Structure formats: C-alpha cells, structure tokens
Coordinates of all heavy atoms in Angstrom, one line a residue:
M1041 N 0.9 -1.2 0.0 CA 0.0 0.0 0.0 C 0.9 1.3 0.0 O 1.8 1.4 0.8 CB -0.9 -0.1 1.3 CG -1.9 1.1 1.3 SD -3.3 0.7 2.3 CE -2.7 1.3 3.9
A1042 N 0.6 2.1 -0.9 CA 1.4 3.3 -1.0 C 1.0 4.4 0.1 O -0.1 4.6 0.4 CB 1.2 4.0 -2.3
T1043 N 2.1 4.8 0.7 CA 1.8 5.9 1.7 C 2.5 7.1 1.3 O 3.4 7.1 0.5 CB 2.4 5.4 3.1 OG1 3.8 5.2 2.9 CG2 1.7 4.2 3.7
G1044 N 2.0 8.3 1.8 CA 2.6 9.5 1.4 C 2.1 10.0 0.0 O 2.7 10.9 -0.6
S1045 N 1.1 9.3 -0.6 CA 0.5 9.7 -1.8 C 0.0 11.2 -1.8 O -0.6 11.6 -0.8 CB -0.6 8.8 -2.2 OG -1.2 9.2 -3.4
K1046 N 0.4 11.9 -2.7 CA 0.0 13.3 -2.8 C -1.3 13.6 -3.6 O -1.8 14.7 -3.9 CB 1.1 14.2 -3.4 CG 2.4 14.0 -2.7 CD 2.5 15.2 -1.7 CE 3.9 15.0 -1.1 NZ 4.1 15.8 0.0
G1047 N -1.9 12.4 -4.1 CA -3.2 12.6 -4.8 C -4.4 13.1 -4.0 O -4.3 13.2 -2.7
R1048 N -5.4 13.4 -4.7 CA -6.6 13.9 -4.0 C -7.3 12.8 -3.2 O -7.5 11.8 -3.6 CB -7.5 14.4 -5.1 CG -8.6 15.2 -4.6 CD -9.4 15.9 -5.8 NE -10.4 16.8 -5.2 CZ -11.5 17.1 -5.9 NH1 -11.7 16.6 -7.0 NH2 -12.4 17.8 -5.3
R1049 N -7.7 13.3 -2.1 CA -8.4 12.3 -1.1 C -9.9 12.3 -1.6 O -10.5 13.2 -2.0 CB -8.3 12.6 0.3 CG -6.9 12.7 0.8 CD -6.8 13.0 2.3 NE -7.7 14.1 2.6 CZ -8.1 14.3 3.9 NH1 -7.7 13.5 4.9 NH2 -9.0 15.3 4.1
M1050 N -10.5 11.1 -1.3 CA -11.9 10.9 -1.6 C -12.9 11.9 -0.8 O -13.7 12.4 -1.3 CB -12.4 9.5 -1.3 CG -13.8 9.2 -1.7 SD -14.2 9.2 -3.4 CE -13.6 7.7 -3.9
V1051 N -12.4 12.1 0.5 CA -13.2 13.0 1.3 C -13.2 14.4 0.8 O -14.1 15.1 0.8 CB -12.6 13.0 2.7 CG1 -13.2 14.1 3.6 CG2 -12.7 11.7 3.4
D1052 N -12.1 14.9 0.2 CA -12.0 16.1 -0.4 C -12.9 16.3 -1.6 O -13.6 17.3 -1.8 CB -10.5 16.5 -0.8 CG -9.6 16.6 0.4 OD1 -10.1 17.0 1.5 OD2 -8.4 16.3 0.2
A1053 N -13.0 15.2 -2.4 CA -13.8 15.2 -3.6 C -15.3 15.3 -3.2 O -16.1 16.0 -3.7 CB -13.6 13.9 -4.4
I1054 N -15.7 14.5 -2.1 CA -17.0 14.5 -1.6 C -17.4 15.9 -1.1 O -18.5 16.4 -1.3 CB -17.2 13.5 -0.6 CG1 -17.1 12.1 -1.3 CG2 -18.6 13.6 0.2 CD1 -17.1 10.9 -0.3
D1055 N -16.4 16.5 -0.4 CA -16.7 17.9 0.2 C -16.9 18.9 -1.0 O -17.8 19.8 -0.9 CB -15.5 18.4 1.1 CG -15.4 17.7 2.4 OD1 -16.5 17.1 2.8 OD2 -14.3 17.8 3.0
D1056 N -16.2 18.8 -2.0 CA -16.3 19.6 -3.2 C -17.7 19.5 -3.9 O -18.4 20.4 -4.2 CB -15.2 19.4 -4.2 CG -13.9 19.9 -3.8 OD1 -13.8 20.6 -2.8 OD2 -12.9 19.5 -4.5
V1057 N -18.1 18.2 -4.0 CA -19.5 17.9 -4.5 C -20.6 18.5 -3.7 O -21.5 19.1 -4.2 CB -19.7 16.4 -4.8 CG1 -21.1 16.1 -5.1 CG2 -18.7 15.9 -5.9
A1058 N -20.4 18.3 -2.3 CA -21.4 18.8 -1.4 C -21.5 20.4 -1.5 O -22.6 20.9 -1.5 CB -21.1 18.4 0.0
A1059 N -20.4 21.0 -1.7 CA -20.3 22.4 -1.7 C -21.0 22.9 -3.0 O -21.8 23.9 -3.1 CB -18.9 23.0 -1.7
E1060 N -20.8 22.1 -4.2 CA -21.4 22.5 -5.4 C -23.0 22.3 -5.4 O -23.7 23.1 -5.8 CB -20.8 21.7 -6.5 CG -19.4 22.1 -6.9 CD -18.8 21.2 -8.0 OE1 -19.5 20.6 -8.8 OE2 -17.5 21.1 -8.0
L1061 N -23.4 21.3 -4.6 CA -24.8 21.0 -4.5 C -25.4 22.1 -3.6 O -26.6 22.6 -3.9 CB -25.1 19.7 -3.8 CG -24.8 18.5 -4.7 CD1 -25.0 17.2 -3.9 CD2 -25.9 18.5 -5.8
R1062 N -24.7 22.6 -2.5 CA -25.3 23.7 -1.8 C -25.4 24.9 -2.6 O -26.4 25.6 -2.5 CB -24.4 23.9 -0.6 CG -24.6 23.0 0.6 CD -23.9 23.4 1.9 NE -22.5 23.5 1.7 CZ -21.7 22.4 1.9 NH1 -22.2 21.2 2.3 NH2 -20.4 22.6 1.8
L1063 N -24.4 25.2 -3.5 CA -24.4 26.4 -4.3 C -25.6 26.3 -5.3 O -26.4 27.2 -5.5 CB -23.2 26.6 -5.0 CG -23.1 27.8 -6.0 CD1 -23.4 29.0 -5.3 CD2 -21.7 27.8 -6.6
A1064 N -25.8 25.1 -5.9 CA -26.8 24.8 -6.9 C -28.2 25.1 -6.3 O -29.1 25.6 -6.9 CB -26.7 23.4 -7.5
N1065 N -28.4 24.6 -5.0 CA -29.6 24.8 -4.3 C -29.9 26.2 -4.0 O -31.1 26.7 -4.1 CB -29.6 23.9 -3.0 CG -29.8 22.5 -3.2 OD1 -30.2 22.0 -4.3 ND2 -29.3 21.6 -2.3
R1066 N -28.9 27.0 -3.6 CA -29.1 28.4 -3.3 C -29.4 29.1 -4.7 O -30.3 30.0 -4.6 CB -27.8 29.0 -2.8 CG -27.6 28.6 -1.3 CD -26.2 29.1 -0.8 NE -26.0 28.7 0.6 CZ -26.4 29.5 1.6 NH1 -27.1 30.6 1.4 NH2 -26.2 29.1 2.8
I1067 N -28.9 28.8 -5.8 CA -29.2 29.4 -7.1 C -30.6 29.0 -7.4 O -31.4 29.9 -7.9 CB -28.2 28.9 -8.1 CG1 -26.8 29.5 -7.8 CG2 -28.7 29.3 -9.5 CD1 -25.7 29.0 -8.8
A1068 N -31.1 27.8 -7.2 CA -32.5 27.4 -7.4 C -33.4 28.2 -6.7 O -34.5 28.6 -7.1 CB -32.6 25.9 -7.1
V1069 N -33.1 28.5 -5.3 CA -33.9 29.3 -4.5 C -34.0 30.8 -5.1 O -35.1 31.4 -5.0 CB -33.5 29.3 -3.1 CG1 -34.1 30.4 -2.2 CG2 -33.6 27.9 -2.4
L1070 N -32.9 31.3 -5.6 CA -33.0 32.6 -6.2 C -33.9 32.7 -7.3 O -34.4 33.8 -7.6 CB -31.5 33.1 -6.6 CG -30.6 33.3 -5.4 CD1 -29.2 33.6 -6.0 CD2 -31.1 34.5 -4.6
K1071 N -34.1 31.6 -8.0 CA -35.0 31.6 -9.2 C -36.5 31.6 -8.8 O -37.4 32.0 -9.5 CB -34.8 30.4 -10.0 CG -33.5 30.4 -10.7 CD -33.3 29.1 -11.6 CE -32.0 29.1 -12.2 NZ -31.8 27.9 -13.1
L1072 N -36.8 31.3 -7.4 CA -38.1 31.3 -7.0 C -38.6 32.7 -6.7 O -37.7 33.7 -6.7 CB -38.2 30.5 -5.7 CG -37.9 29.1 -5.7 CD1 -37.9 28.4 -4.3 CD2 -38.9 28.3 -6.6
G1073 N -39.8 32.9 -6.4 CA -40.3 34.3 -6.0 C -39.7 34.7 -4.8 O -39.2 33.9 -3.9
A1074 N -39.8 36.0 -4.4 CA -39.1 36.5 -3.3 C -39.6 36.0 -2.0 O -39.0 35.9 -1.0 CB -39.2 38.0 -3.3
S1075 N -40.9 35.6 -2.0 CA -41.6 35.1 -0.8 C -41.8 33.5 -0.7 O -42.4 33.0 0.1 CB -42.9 35.7 -0.6 OG -43.7 35.4 -1.7
A1076 N -41.1 32.8 -1.7 CA -41.3 31.4 -1.8 C -41.0 30.6 -0.5 O -41.7 29.7 -0.2 CB -40.5 30.9 -2.9
L1077 N -40.0 31.1 0.3 CA -39.7 30.4 1.5 C -40.1 31.1 2.8 O -39.8 30.6 3.8 CB -38.2 30.2 1.6 CG -37.6 29.3 0.5 CD1 -36.1 29.2 0.6 CD2 -38.2 27.9 0.6
D1078 N -41.0 32.1 2.7 CA -41.5 32.9 3.8 C -42.6 32.1 4.5 O -43.3 31.3 3.9 CB -42.1 34.2 3.4 CG -41.0 35.2 3.0 OD1 -39.8 35.0 3.2 OD2 -41.4 36.3 2.5
H1079 N -42.7 32.2 5.8 CA -43.8 31.6 6.5 C -45.1 32.2 6.1 O -45.3 33.5 6.1 CB -43.5 31.9 8.0 CG -44.6 31.3 8.9 ND1 -44.5 30.0 9.3 CD2 -45.6 31.8 9.5 CE1 -45.6 29.7 10.1 NE2 -46.3 30.8 10.2
D1080 N -46.0 31.4 5.9 CA -47.5 31.8 5.5 C -48.3 31.8 6.8 O -48.4 30.8 7.4 CB -48.0 30.8 4.5 CG -49.3 31.2 4.0 OD1 -50.0 32.2 4.5 OD2 -49.9 30.6 3.1
P1081 N -48.8 33.0 7.2 CA -49.6 33.0 8.4 C -50.9 32.2 8.2 O -51.7 32.0 9.3 CB -49.9 34.5 8.7 CG -49.7 35.1 7.3 CD -48.7 34.3 6.5
G1082 N -51.4 32.0 7.0 CA -52.5 31.2 6.8 C -53.8 31.9 7.0 O -54.9 31.4 7.2
S1083 N -53.8 33.2 6.8 CA -55.0 34.1 7.0 C -56.1 33.9 6.1 O -57.3 34.1 6.3 CB -54.6 35.6 7.2 OG -53.9 35.9 5.9
R1084 N -55.7 33.3 4.8 CA -56.7 33.1 3.8 C -57.2 31.6 3.9 O -58.2 31.3 3.2 CB -56.1 33.4 2.4 CG -55.8 34.8 2.3 CD -55.1 35.2 0.9 NE -55.5 34.3 -0.1 CZ -55.0 34.3 -1.3 NH1 -54.0 35.2 -1.6 NH2 -55.3 33.4 -2.2
A1085 N -56.7 30.8 4.7 CA -57.1 29.4 4.8 C -58.4 29.4 5.6 O -58.4 29.7 6.8 CB -56.0 28.5 5.4
T1086 N -59.5 28.9 5.1 CA -60.8 28.9 5.8 C -61.2 27.6 6.1 O -62.2 27.4 7.0 CB -61.8 29.6 4.9 OG1 -61.9 28.9 3.6 CG2 -61.5 31.1 4.6
T1087 N -60.7 26.5 5.6 CA -61.1 25.1 6.0 C -60.0 24.4 6.7 O -58.9 24.8 6.7 CB -61.5 24.3 4.8 OG1 -60.4 24.1 4.0 CG2 -62.6 25.1 3.9
D1088 N -60.3 23.4 7.4 CA -59.4 22.6 8.1 C -58.3 22.0 7.1 O -57.1 21.9 7.5 CB -60.0 21.4 8.9 CG -60.8 21.9 10.0 OD1 -60.6 23.0 10.6 OD2 -61.7 21.1 10.5
V1089 N -58.8 21.6 5.9 CA -57.8 21.0 5.0 C -56.9 22.1 4.6 O -55.7 21.8 4.4 CB -58.6 20.4 3.7 CG1 -57.7 20.0 2.6 CG2 -59.5 19.2 4.2
A1090 N -57.4 23.3 4.3 CA -56.4 24.3 3.8 C -55.5 24.8 5.0 O -54.3 25.0 4.7 CB -57.4 25.5 3.4
R1091 N -56.0 24.8 6.2 CA -55.0 25.1 7.3 C -54.0 24.1 7.5 O -52.8 24.4 7.7 CB -55.9 25.3 8.5 CG -56.6 26.7 8.7 CD -57.3 26.9 10.0 NE -58.4 26.1 10.2 CZ -59.7 26.4 9.9 NH1 -59.8 27.6 9.3 NH2 -60.7 25.7 10.0
E1092 N -54.3 22.8 7.4 CA -53.3 21.8 7.4 C -52.3 21.9 6.2 O -51.1 21.7 6.4 CB -54.0 20.4 7.4 CG -53.0 19.3 7.5 CD -52.0 19.3 8.6 OE1 -52.4 19.8 9.7 OE2 -50.8 18.9 8.3
R1093 N -52.8 22.2 5.1 CA -51.9 22.4 3.9 C -50.9 23.5 4.2 O -49.7 23.4 3.9 CB -52.7 22.6 2.6 CG -51.9 22.7 1.4 CD -52.7 22.8 0.1 NE -53.5 21.7 0.0 CZ -54.9 21.8 -0.3 NH1 -55.5 22.9 -0.4 NH2 -55.5 20.7 -0.5
V1094 N -51.4 24.6 4.7 CA -50.6 25.7 5.0 C -49.5 25.3 6.0 O -48.4 25.6 6.0 CB -51.3 26.9 5.5 CG1 -50.5 28.1 6.2 CG2 -52.2 27.5 4.4
A1095 N -49.9 24.6 7.1 CA -49.1 24.1 8.1 C -48.0 23.2 7.6 O -46.8 23.4 8.0 CB -49.8 23.5 9.4
R1096 N -48.3 22.3 6.7 CA -47.4 21.4 6.1 C -46.4 22.2 5.3 O -45.2 21.9 5.3 CB -48.2 20.3 5.2 CG -47.3 19.3 4.7 CD -48.0 18.2 3.9 NE -48.7 18.8 2.8 CZ -50.0 18.7 2.6 NH1 -50.8 18.1 3.4 NH2 -50.6 19.3 1.5
M1097 N -46.9 23.1 4.5 CA -46.0 23.9 3.5 C -45.0 24.7 4.4 O -43.8 24.9 4.1 CB -46.8 24.8 2.6 CG -47.5 24.0 1.6 SD -46.4 23.0 0.5 CE -45.5 24.3 -0.3
N1098 N -45.6 25.3 5.6 CA -44.7 26.1 6.5 C -43.6 25.2 7.0 O -42.4 25.6 7.2 CB -45.5 26.7 7.5 CG -46.1 28.0 7.0 OD1 -45.7 28.6 6.1 ND2 -47.2 28.3 7.7
R1099 N -43.9 23.9 7.4 CA -42.9 23.1 7.9 C -41.9 22.7 6.8 O -40.6 22.7 7.2 CB -43.5 21.7 8.4 CG -44.3 21.9 9.7 CD -44.7 20.5 10.3 NE -45.6 19.7 9.4 CZ -46.9 19.7 9.3 NH1 -47.5 20.5 10.1 NH2 -47.5 18.9 8.5
L1100 N -42.3 22.5 5.6 CA -41.4 22.3 4.5 C -40.5 23.4 4.3 O -39.3 23.4 4.1 CB -42.1 21.8 3.3 CG -42.7 20.5 3.3 CD1 -43.6 20.3 2.0 CD2 -41.7 19.4 3.3
R1101 N -41.0 24.7 4.3 CA -40.4 25.9 4.1 C -39.2 26.0 5.1 O -38.0 26.5 4.8 CB -41.2 27.0 4.0 CG -42.1 27.2 2.8 CD -42.9 28.5 2.9 NE -43.8 28.5 1.8 CZ -45.1 28.4 1.9 NH1 -45.7 28.2 3.1 NH2 -46.0 28.4 0.9
A1102 N -39.6 25.8 6.4 CA -38.7 26.0 7.6 C -37.5 24.9 7.4 O -36.4 25.2 7.6 CB -39.5 25.7 8.8
E1103 N -37.8 23.7 7.0 CA -36.8 22.6 6.8 C -35.8 23.1 5.6 O -34.6 22.9 5.7 CB -37.5 21.4 6.4 CG -36.6 20.2 6.3 CD -37.4 18.8 6.1 OE1 -38.4 18.6 6.6 OE2 -36.9 18.1 5.2
I1104 N -36.4 23.6 4.6 CA -35.6 24.0 3.4 C -34.8 25.2 3.8 O -33.5 25.2 3.5 CB -36.5 24.4 2.2 CG1 -37.0 23.1 1.7 CG2 -35.6 25.1 1.1 CD1 -38.2 23.4 0.6
R1105 N -35.3 26.1 4.6 CA -34.5 27.4 5.0 C -33.3 26.8 5.9 O -32.2 27.4 5.8 CB -35.3 28.3 5.8 CG -36.2 29.2 4.9 CD -36.9 30.4 5.8 NE -37.5 29.9 7.0 CZ -38.8 29.6 7.1 NH1 -39.5 29.7 6.0 NH2 -39.3 29.2 8.2
A1106 N -33.6 26.0 6.8 CA -32.6 25.4 7.7 C -31.5 24.6 6.9 O -30.3 24.8 7.1 CB -33.2 24.5 8.7
G1107 N -31.9 23.8 5.9 CA -30.9 23.1 5.1 C -30.0 24.0 4.3 O -28.9 23.6 3.9
L1108 N -30.6 25.2 3.9 CA -29.8 26.0 3.0 C -29.0 27.1 4.0 O -28.4 28.0 3.5 CB -30.7 26.9 2.2 CG -31.3 26.1 1.0 CD1 -32.4 26.9 0.2 CD2 -30.3 25.6 0.1
G1109 N -29.2 26.9 5.3 CA -28.5 27.9 6.2 C -29.1 29.2 6.2 O -28.5 30.3 6.6
L1110 N -30.5 29.3 6.0 CA -31.1 30.6 6.0 C -32.1 30.6 7.3 O -33.1 31.3 7.2 CB -32.1 30.6 4.7 CG -31.3 30.5 3.3 CD1 -32.4 30.6 2.2 CD2 -30.4 31.7 3.2
D1111 N -31.6 30.0 8.3 CA -32.5 30.0 9.5 C -32.8 31.4 10.0 O -31.9 32.3 9.9 CB -31.7 29.3 10.7 CG -31.5 27.8 10.4 OD1 -32.3 27.3 9.7 OD2 -30.6 27.3 11.0
G1112 N -34.0 31.6 10.4 CA -34.4 32.9 10.8 C -34.8 33.9 9.7 O -35.3 34.9 9.9
E1113 N -34.5 33.6 8.5 CA -34.9 34.4 7.4 C -36.2 34.1 6.9 O -36.5 32.9 6.6 CB -33.8 34.4 6.3 CG -32.5 34.9 6.8 CD -31.5 34.8 5.6 OE1 -31.8 34.9 4.4 OE2 -30.3 34.6 5.9
G1114 N -37.1 35.1 6.8 CA -38.4 34.8 6.3 C -39.3 34.1 7.2 O -40.4 33.5 6.8
A1115 N -38.9 33.8 8.4 CA -39.8 33.1 9.4 C -40.7 34.1 10.1 O -40.6 35.2 10.1 CB -38.9 32.4 10.4

C-alpha cells in the first residue's frame, strides 16, 4: 500500500461535490419568487384542509431554510 501519496483524497472530492450542491440549491432558490420560503400566516385558509396544507408547507419551508443555512430568514 502506497503511503505519502499526494493525490486527491476521496473526502476532499465529496466535500467539493457537497459544496457545489449547496451552491446549486441556493441558485435554485434565487429563481423562486421573493416570498417562496417565507412563513405563511394562513390568514386566507378557511377550511381545516387548507389550514393543514398551510401548516405542512410552512414546515417544509422551515426545513428548506434550515438546510440552506437561511435560519431565521423569512420566518
């Protein structure tokens, strides 16, 4: 087994791919409308089904904001 190899490590390659994916996701968010990830207060939801849909979308938006490192923004 060769030791002291100066080649690129697999971990470094994975880190680079992860960074590129984070950047691609941020670019995709920029293509959305300005309020796409904002919390919806649900003031227009009049039925139980609509209120549950708003709550579900707000949970998804919060998860996406956290995943993109946008915690606290648009909440």
Side-chain angles (χ1 to χ4, degrees):
M1041 185 159 86
T1043 57
S1045 174
K1046 302 267 183 195
R1048 187 168 186 211
R1049 297 180 324 155
M1050 184 67 82
V1051 173
D1052 295 331
I1054 292 170
D1055 286 344
D1056 289 347
V1057 170
E1060 288 179 25
L1061 285 171
R1062 280 191 296 276
L1063 178 59
N1065 287 336
R1066 287 175 179 269
I1067 291 169
V1069 167
L1070 289 173
K1071 291 180 182 180
L1072 298 175
S1075 63
L1077 295 179
D1078 288 351
H1079 179 84
D1080 183 354
S1083 55
R1084 293 179 26 188
T1086 57
T1087 66
D1088 289 340
V1089 172
R1091 283 189 285 274
E1092 178 53 37
R1093 184 177 298 129
V1094 168
R1096 184 175 64 241
M1097 291 301 292
N1098 281 335
R1099 287 190 302 269
L1100 289 170
R1101 288 180 186 111
E1103 187 177 319
I1104 291 167
R1105 283 191 309 267
L1108 291 172
L1110 303 174
D1111 291 338
E1113 296 180 30

